Amino acid sequence: MKNEKSIDRVIQINNVDIGRNIASIRKAMHIKQTDMVARLQTNGVDISIYSYNRIEKGTQNPTVSFLYACCHILGCDMNTLFDFTTIV
């Protein structure tokens, strides 16, 4: 039961498509997870390897700043990360 101070959120855990797309692009660029986390941290995203791994597996939701930084690092746009049909 929600209390009156709770906010509505869209929870999309267990939707592995975004994480799978990130992983596919990262692997195609031969970037290790640890290197990706280091690049994300350099871009101002406070994330651990554990959290990054969970995002790729679809068990943790990515933030908008995380997605934006991934696009910058991977040289793609948001549409590529959200494309559920072509990358697997």
Side-chain angles (χ1 to χ4, degrees):
M1 180 172 167
K2 289 180 10 177
N3 65 34
E4 54 193 57
K5 291 183 181 180
S6 67
I7 58 173
D8 289 327
R9 298 180 205 191
V10 176
I11 304 295
Q12 296 180 10
I13 58 172
N14 297 326
N15 181 348
V16 296
D17 292 325
I18 296 169
R20 185 178 299 143
N21 290 348
I22 292 169
S24 294
I25 298 166
R26 175 185 60 76
K27 289 174 185 175
M29 295 179 70
H30 306 288
I31 301 172
K32 296 179 183 179
Q33 278 190 346
T34 52
D35 294 335
M36 186 68 177
V37 169
R39 292 180 187 192
L40 287 164
Q41 290 171 344
T42 302
N43 278 275
V45 178
D46 185 23
I47 191 165
S48 67
I49 186 68
Y50 176 74
S51 292
Y52 180 83
N53 185 275
R54 290 182 65 205
I55 290 170
E56 279 196 357
K57 288 182 178 180
T59 59
Q60 180 172 324
N61 290 325
T63 63
V64 173
S65 59
F66 170 87
L67 294 172
Y68 182 77
C70 283
C71 288
H72 176 73
I73 294 164
L74 300 173
C76 64
D77 61 12
M78 289 282 190
N79 291 324
T80 304
L81 299 185
F82 284 89
D83 185 2
F84 299 145
T85 58
T86 59
I87 300 174
V88 175

